[in-house]
């Protein structure tokens, strides 16, 4: 359990950096939309910030987690070798990792700025500050032992990112969400659109809420509820394939894995 | 019951792909980033390669007959290079050709921008090469140049100047050429009837604005200007261009950014034009053709869009009715960079890449 605190701390620090950084792009876009006299409302703010948290945030989280792994390993080495203050070294390491990630994204890979909030010097500085905060979180977390509760929460949180992302996209942009599920939204009748938005949003939002409640309360009943929902999705995926002739799809693998994942987590909590 | 209903919905939205009766043959060998072509006679065309080479190609054999000399120097990088070549509507008399390309501009801090030059094609050489337009849209990397051109029915030249990717917001401001359609006379002067010619805060060459990366531009027999442009993730669109209008980018769009971030949640606003058709997810349209040939009479009057991301060609009827879109040539499994109608009505596809090919579609 002791060693688990490192990957958990890296993931959490990357998540905190992501939470600090994604709104830079969202807010810069919102400010421009306001300046262009677009009817920006509270709903617009929520829509953009929540969608960016998941849609921009997930790829960033992966990039940052990889960058932080390297940066923290190097920082640890320097701390041991030169007896440097760990708190600030981890912050600095994470800030440098973000700066490097942004720089390499532009100069080595895309030749342009894939992250809109990074197009100005001020925006870049905010990104680096976000990285520094992530580094401080890492320092705090590695100085605490990893408890079973922390590990369960961490493991339960990973699928939540994907489900939360889907839920938010279905709430704020059902047209986009439906296209990734094979629907041509425009061609549906009004009733069809209504059904699609209502039922599928309810599914993803419901499962996401179960996940959050499980993560917060550590009550296994929430994890079993998720397992039942995803187990049913898996069964009816097979029904669709074998009884109604639809094509095989990779979603069935995802459904059974998530069902088993939360069953195991629920049983693990129940044993204590 | 619900599953059955869901299944029925899925069945009903399947796009119908009708196999047409056609033959695909390769014309010539390999070409290096073939980007555009222009027929200079019944059996010869000029082929512009993004690398900066302009070739005279025999239409019958596909052989390169000559390398055109005195082509302007281009910056070949990213999406930049020698992008479009068109001939004058009176080419037989004037031998005039127009080329759009990316190059560095000493007047704009030596940054890269879109250039348009005209020249006389004499033999296999360009003579009297003259830059007639430089976009006031300097950028570090040649991205989103647009760079398509068409001669309008009144003899003026319409040029697509893309948003430069990193400068998307500038598409809404009239003091630059990012995300603008530009209309000039063939000598580079500004037509007096351009829509913003009397606006002292606007560049006089601007014809329309609020565009992203325009990759398709054509004029039909009625003089209607058809344009298509790339969205990022979603938001590829077909428009009819009118002078002075705002086409909305990036304030309205049926899209999100490549990164997944929202660019705008808005899809419409008064004073901003709606597309006639849009794609979500993107197909990444490249070339644009309005078919009028005799080889495929059933396709006459239809729009054809070559596409990069979907690796096919889309045939779209101009009434944009439901089920008006047909997917063609997907069996090539290639990014299609451009599409042209040859003088004999056959269709030419330019397949993308440093190992690009030209495919001829015939009955």
């Amino acid at each position: 359990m002791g060693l688990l605190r490192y990957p958990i701390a890296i993931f959490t620090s990357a998540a905190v950096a992501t939470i600090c950084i994604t709104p830079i792009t969202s807010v810069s876009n919102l400010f421009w939309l306001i300046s262009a006299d677009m009817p920006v409302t509270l709903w617009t703010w929520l829509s953009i910030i929540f969608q960016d948290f998941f849609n921009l945030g997930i790829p960033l989280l992966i990039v940052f987690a990889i960058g932080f792994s390297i940066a923290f390993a190097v920082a640890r080495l320097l701390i041991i070798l030169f007896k440097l203050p760990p708190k600030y070294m981890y912050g600095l390491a994470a800030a440098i990792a973000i700066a490097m990630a942004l720089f390499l994204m532009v100069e080595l890979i895309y030749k342009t700025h894939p992250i809109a909030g990074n197009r100005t010097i001020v925006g870049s500085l905010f990104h680096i500050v976000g990285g520094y905060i992530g580094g401080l979180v890492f320092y705090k977390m590695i100085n605490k032992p990893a408890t079973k509760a922390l590990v369960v929460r961490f493991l339960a949180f990973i699928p939540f990112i994907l489900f939360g992302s889907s839920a938010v996209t279905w709430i704020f942009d059902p047209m986009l969400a439906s296209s990734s599920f094979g629907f041509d939204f425009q061609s549906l009748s009004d009733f069809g659109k209504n059904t699609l938005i209502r039922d599928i949003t309810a599914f993803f939002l419901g499962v996401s809420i179960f996940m959050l409640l499980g993560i917060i309360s550590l009550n296994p009943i929430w994890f079993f509820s998720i397992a039942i929902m995803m187990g049913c999705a898996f069964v009816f995926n097979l029904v669709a394939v074998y009884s109604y002739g639809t094509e095989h799809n990779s979603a069935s693998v995802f459904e059974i894995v998530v069902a088993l994942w939360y069953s195991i987590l629920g049983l693990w909590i129940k044993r204590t | 019951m619900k599953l059955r209903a869901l299944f029925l919905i899925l069945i009903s939205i399947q796009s119908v792909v009708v196999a047409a009766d056609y033959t695909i043959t390769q014309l010539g060998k390999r070409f290096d980033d073939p980007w555009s072509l222009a027929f200079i006679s019944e059996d010869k065309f000029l082929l512009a390669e993004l690398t900066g080479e302009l070739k005279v190609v025999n239409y019958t054999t596909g052989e390169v007959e000559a390398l055109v000399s005195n082509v302007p120097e281009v910056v070949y990088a990213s999406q930049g290079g020698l992008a479009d070549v068109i001939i004058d509507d009176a080419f037989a008399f004037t031998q005039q050709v127009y080329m759009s390309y990316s190059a560095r501009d000493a007047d704009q801090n030596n940054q890269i921008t879109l250039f348009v030059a005209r020249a006389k094609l004499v033999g296999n050489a360009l003579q009297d090469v003259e830059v007639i337009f430089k976009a006031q849209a300097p950028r570090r990397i040649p991205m989103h140049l647009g760079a398509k051109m068409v001669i309008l029915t009144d003899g003026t030249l319409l040029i697509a100047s893309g948003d430069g990717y990193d400068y998307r917001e500038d598409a809404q401001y009239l003091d630059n050429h990012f995300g603008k359609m530009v209309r000039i006379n063939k000598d580079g002067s500004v037509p007096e009837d351009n829509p913003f010619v009397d606006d002292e805060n606007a560049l006089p060459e601007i014809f329309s604005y609020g565009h992203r990366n325009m990759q398709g531009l054509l004029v039909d027999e009625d003089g209607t200007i058809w344009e298509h442009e790339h969205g990022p993730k979603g938001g590829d669109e077909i428009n009819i261009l009118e002078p002075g209008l705002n086409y909305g980018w990036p304030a309205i769009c049926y899209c999100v950014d490549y990164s997944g971030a929202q660019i705008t949640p808005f899809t419409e606003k008064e004073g901003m034009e709606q597309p006639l058709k849009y794609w979500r997810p993107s197909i990444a349209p490249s070339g644009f053709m309005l078919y009028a040939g005799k080889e495929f009479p059933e396709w006459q009057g239809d729009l054809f869009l070559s596409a990069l991301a979907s690796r096919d060609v889309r045939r779209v009827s101009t009434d944009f009715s439901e089920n008006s879109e047909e997917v063609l040539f997907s069996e090539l499994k290639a990014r299609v960079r451009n599409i042209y109608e040859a003088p004999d009505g056959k269709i030419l596809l330019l397949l993308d890449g440093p190992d690009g090919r030209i495919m001829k579609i015939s009955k």
Side-chain angles (χ1 to χ4, degrees):
Chain A
M1 200 75 87
L3 278 177
L4 267 176
R5 68 185 165 162
Y6 288 102
I8 293 174
I10 289 171
F11 181 86
T12 310
S13 60
V16 168
T18 304
I19 288 166
C20 293
I21 283 170
T22 52
I24 300 167
T25 290
S26 314
V27 171
S28 65
N29 271 348
L30 280 158
F31 281 165
W32 182 77
L33 288 169
I34 291 166
S35 77
D37 279 339
M38 298 305 289
V40 174
T41 61
L42 181 62
W43 180 257
T44 319
W45 279 85
L46 291 175
S47 153
I48 289 189
I49 286 174
F50 273 108
Q51 287 191 79
D52 285 356
F53 262 134
F54 287 106
N55 298 334
L56 170 63
I58 292 173
L60 285 186
L61 176 63
I62 295 164
V63 171
F64 293 166
I66 295 166
F68 282 8
S69 304
I70 301 164
F72 293 146
V74 174
R76 175 85 180 143
L77 204 64
L78 294 176
I79 289 162
I80 294 168
L81 284 176
F82 300 105
K83 308 256 185 275
L84 296 166
K87 184 176 179 182
Y88 301 107
M89 278 305 290
Y90 286 127
L92 195 64
I96 292 169
I98 297 284
M100 282 299 289
L102 296 177
F103 178 77
L104 293 177
M105 260 186 226
V106 176
E107 300 301 330
L108 204 66
I109 304 172
Y110 298 107
K111 306 290 179 197
T112 187
H113 292 87
I115 301 169
N118 182 40
R119 288 181 295 169
T120 61
I121 292 170
V122 176
S124 299
L125 286 175
F126 278 131
H127 281 76
I128 291 166
V129 170
Y132 184 79
I133 294 168
L136 297 185
V137 169
F138 176 80
Y139 169 74
K140 284 219 161 205
M141 288 196 70
I142 57 165
N143 284 308
K144 285 181 185 169
T147 61
K148 182 178 171 183
L150 181 69
V151 174
V152 170
R153 285 188 168 118
F154 172 71
L155 294 176
F157 184 74
I158 295 170
F160 167 76
I161 299 170
L162 298 175
F163 276 82
S165 165
S166 276
V168 164
T169 312
W170 273 102
I171 292 167
F172 293 109
D173 196 350
M175 207 158 65
L176 175 68
S178 62
S179 71
S180 58
F181 280 77
F183 289 98
D184 181 354
F185 191 77
Q186 293 301 332
S187 69
L188 297 177
S189 66
D190 278 354
F191 185 63
K193 288 175 184 169
N194 184 297
T195 307
L196 194 67
I197 294 170
R198 184 185 68 218
D199 288 0
I200 300 193
T201 309
F203 172 79
F204 280 107
L205 186 61
V207 172
S208 302
I209 291 171
F210 290 168
M211 288 174 175
L212 272 183
L213 290 171
I215 290 165
I216 294 164
S217 69
L218 289 180
N219 184 338
I221 199 77
W222 298 116
F223 292 157
F224 292 138
S225 305
I226 298 161
I228 290 167
M229 294 286 284
M230 295 311 294
C232 288
F234 172 71
V235 168
F236 287 103
N237 193 327
L238 296 185
V239 169
V241 172
Y242 293 109
S243 299
Y244 296 98
T246 63
E247 280 186 10
H248 281 278
N249 58 78
S250 56
S252 60
V253 178
F254 178 73
E255 286 153 3
I256 191 65
V257 166
V258 174
L260 291 172
W261 185 270
Y262 282 96
S263 299
I264 293 165
L265 285 179
L267 289 170
W268 194 22
I269 299 169
K270 213 162 176 254
R271 271 180 49 191
T272 27
Chain B
M1 196 65 193
K2 201 165 160 186
L3 261 173
R4 186 170 290 176
L6 204 63
F7 177 69
L8 287 173
I9 291 169
L10 272 169
I11 290 288
S12 68
I13 61 163
Q14 293 291 312
S15 56
V16 180
V17 180
V18 183
D21 185 18
Y22 57 76
T23 310
I24 305 178
T25 49
Q26 185 171 336
L27 187 64
K29 293 178 183 164
R30 302 275 171 163
F31 296 94
D32 200 355
D33 274 322
W35 215 259
S36 62
L37 64 81
F39 275 86
I40 51 175
S41 68
E42 295 280 316
D43 62 347
K44 280 182 193 173
F45 60 81
L46 290 173
L47 178 73
E49 292 178 332
L50 196 65
T51 52
E53 292 201 332
L54 191 62
K55 292 173 173 170
V56 179
V57 180
N58 186 296
Y59 175 53
T60 312
T61 63
E63 293 298 314
V64 177
E65 292 191 351
L67 208 58
V68 177
S69 61
N70 210 18
V71 177
E73 196 175 324
V74 307
V75 171
Y76 170 54
S78 186
Q79 299 169 350
L82 181 59
D84 202 10
V85 58
I86 61 169
I87 59 166
D88 195 52
D89 42 0
F91 178 78
F93 306 104
T94 64
Q95 286 87 51
Q96 205 76 246
V97 298
Y98 302 87
M99 295 153 287
S100 65
Y101 56 97
S102 55
R104 294 196 178 277
D105 183 11
D107 297 333
Q108 298 186 77
N109 295 324
N110 214 31
Q111 291 211 307
I112 297 161
T113 194
L114 172 69
F115 282 66
V116 174
R118 70 171 178 175
K120 198 173 256 191
L121 182 69
V122 180
N124 294 319
L126 295 178
Q127 289 184 359
D128 304 326
V129 180
E130 180 189 3
V131 173
I132 55 171
F133 176 72
K134 284 192 300 188
Q136 290 186 36
R139 65 202 81 190
R140 207 168 61 90
I141 305 289
M143 293 278 286
H144 285 202
L145 289 147
K148 297 290 176 179
M149 299 179 290
V150 71
I151 295 173
L152 303 182
T153 46
D154 63 2
T156 56
L157 186 63
L158 196 68
I159 303 160
S161 175
D163 76 342
Y165 191 92
D166 280 340
Y167 315 91
R168 65 186 184 213
E169 290 83 1
D170 284 339
Q172 283 297 315
Y173 306 123
L174 297 172
D175 60 354
N176 65 79
H177 288 135
F178 284 114
K180 310 296 186 311
M181 294 302 309
V182 167
R183 179 172 170 254
I184 56 173
N185 292 315
K186 288 175 184 170
D187 62 358
S189 61
V190 176
E192 286 178 4
D193 58 347
N194 259 5
F196 300 106
V197 83
D198 295 324
D199 184 343
E200 61 183 25
N201 296 316
L203 296 179
E205 301 89 355
I206 294 172
F207 180 78
S208 62
Y209 64 110
H211 298 286
R212 190 172 180 269
N213 188 19
M214 311 79 115
Q215 289 296 297
L217 197 54
L218 59 87
V219 180
D220 68 17
E221 280 184 347
D222 303 332
T224 305
I225 309 166
W226 297 84
E227 174 254 15
H228 70 60
E229 58 189 70
H230 272 215
K233 270 187 185 168
D236 297 342
E237 56 188 46
I238 294 179
N239 297 297
I240 284 181
L241 301 184
E242 299 274 357
L245 296 187
N246 179 357
Y247 289 82
W249 173 256
I252 60 170
C253 181
Y254 295 88
C255 65
V256 294
D257 207 349
Y258 294 116
S259 65
Q262 282 278 303
I263 293 166
T264 174
F266 302 108
T267 54
E268 54 188 58
K269 195 196 176 195
E270 202 180 333
M272 294 182 183
E273 300 306 303
Q274 281 294 302
L276 295 167
K277 180 176 176 65
Y278 65 88
W279 280 267
R280 190 173 190 176
S282 289
I283 59 166
S286 44
F288 207 11
M289 174 183 84
L290 183 64
Y291 188 74
K294 290 178 182 162
E295 185 84 356
F296 299 98
E298 67 275 26
W299 289 346
Q300 282 174 0
D302 287 343
L303 295 166
F304 285 72
L305 297 86
S306 52
L308 299 164
S310 59
R311 293 169 176 259
D312 53 34
V313 169
R314 301 298 169 106
R315 181 176 70 85
V316 181
S317 67
T318 51
D319 61 2
F320 299 104
S321 59
E322 277 188 34
N323 303 319
S324 69
E325 183 178 340
E326 184 183 3
V327 177
L328 290 166
F329 316 132
S330 53
E331 62 270 34
L332 288 168
K333 295 182 171 44
R335 287 163 57 86
V336 187
R337 172 56 63 186
N338 220 326
I339 183 165
Y340 291 92
E341 182 189 322
D344 58 4
K346 293 179 171 55
I347 294 170
L348 295 182
L349 305 180
L350 306 191
L351 305 189
D352 197 40
D355 212 12
R357 289 169 292 159
I358 302 178
M359 311 306 287
K360 186 193 280 187
I361 316 292
S362 51
K363 273 280 187 193

